[in-house]
Amino acid sequence: MPQVSAAETAAEALAPLRADPERAAVLTDIDGTLAPIVERPELAAVPDGARAVLAELSGRFGIVGCVSGRRAAEARDLVGVEGIAYAGNHGLELLLPGDSEPRLDPSLEGREGAASDYLEQLDAEALLAGGLRVEDKGPIQALHWRGAGDEQAAAARAREIAAEAGKRGLEPRWGRKVLELRPAGGGGKDAAVGALIGIGKFTAAIYGGDDRTDLDAFARLRRLRDEGHLEAAICVGVVSDEAPADLEEESDLTVEGPPGWLAVLRALAG
Ligand SMILES: [Mg+2]
C-alpha cells in the first residue's frame, strides 16, 4: 500500500483528477478526515487551512462535497465553506450550493417522520425519566444516555426500544452511548456518493475517509468506475490508531490523519 507522505507523490497519484478538474469530484468525510477527532463532537473544528483549500478547490473542480453523519446544515456550519455540497445524516440529507433547506433521500418518501412518530408515542418525559435524551435529527431520531443517572438501565431500555422499533420498519443503529432510529433502507455514505456523482457528468472522483462508514463510500465509487460511469476512482484512507482494520486494505492510498489528507487536497489545488 503506497503511503502518500509528500505532496509530490500525491500529485502523481492524482493526475487523473488534475487533468480535467471540471469533470472531477472531490469528496470528503468531515470528522477524523478534515477535522481532528475530539472527545466531544460539538467541540470539533475544521482547521482554517482545510477550509481555505476547499474553497479554492470549489472554484476549479466540478463538485466538492462533504459527506457526514451529522445533519447537513450542521456539517455546513462546521466546515463553513459556501459553494460546496453537504451530504448529511448518513446520506439522508443533501444540501447543494445555494440550497437553504436540505433535500431528503427520495427513498424516505412518506416515511420522513416515521422515527419521530414512533418516539412521540413513547413520550419524551417518560424516556428522560429512564435516562434517555432525544436528539431530533429530522428523519433520524437519536437517543443518548451518556451521563444518565443509571447508564446501564438506560442502555437496557434503549435495547427494548430498538427491538420494538425494528418491528415497525425502523432501523436501529448503535453508536457510543447512542441509539439512532431511522426508516429502514436508503441513506448511507454510498447513497451520498451516488447522489453527488449523479449531479454532473464526472469522469474522475476522489473520496477521503477514516472510518467504517466510509468504506461504503469507497465501494460505491469503485462500482461507479466498474460500471463505466467514472474513468478513475481514488479512495484515500485517512489512517489513525483508531482506524478500522480493513481501511488500509480498502484504500488506494493511505495518508496519516487530517494533516495527510490536507496535503492531498493541497496537491489537487496546486
Ligand atoms: Mg470520519
Side-chain angles (χ1 to χ4, degrees), residues 29-33 189 210-211 214:
D29 170 51
I30 299 176
D31 292 273
T33 297
K189 288 188 171 178
D210 71 308
D211 210 346
D214 297 306

Side-chain angles (χ1 to χ4, degrees), residues 127-150:
L127 289 171
L128 202 52
L132 297 170
R133 298 185 307 281
V134 178
E135 181 193 0
D136 180 2
K137 296 177 73 183
I140 295 180
Q141 297 287 310
L143 293 170
H144 299 266
W145 58 93
R146 184 180 300 278
D150 185 344

Side-chain angles (χ1 to χ4, degrees), residues 30 34 46 51 54 66-68 70-89 93-103:
I30 299 176
L34 280 182
V46 171
R51 190 169 287 130
L54 287 177
C66 294
V67 177
S68 177
R70 293 174 184 264
R71 296 207 72 176
E74 191 187 325
R76 184 167 63 184
D77 288 346
L78 176 60
V79 176
V81 179
E82 297 291 329
I84 69 176
Y86 295 90
N89 242 349
E93 294 181 334
L94 184 60
L95 264 175
L96 295 178
D99 280 354
S100 53
E101 291 294 320
R103 304 147 196 245

Side-chain angles (χ1 to χ4, degrees), residues 31 35-45 70:
D31 292 273
I37 288 289
V38 288
E39 201 55 45
R40 285 163 46 206
E42 63 269 29
L43 299 180
R70 293 174 184 264

Side-chain angles (χ1 to χ4, degrees), residues 199-223:
I199 286 166
K201 262 196 139 342
F202 303 118
T203 55
I206 187 169
Y207 183 99
D210 71 308
D211 210 346
R212 194 166 306 284
T213 52
D214 297 306
L215 299 179
D216 296 336
F218 286 9
R220 173 60 73 95
L221 218 54
R222 293 203 170 103
R223 202 167 86 218

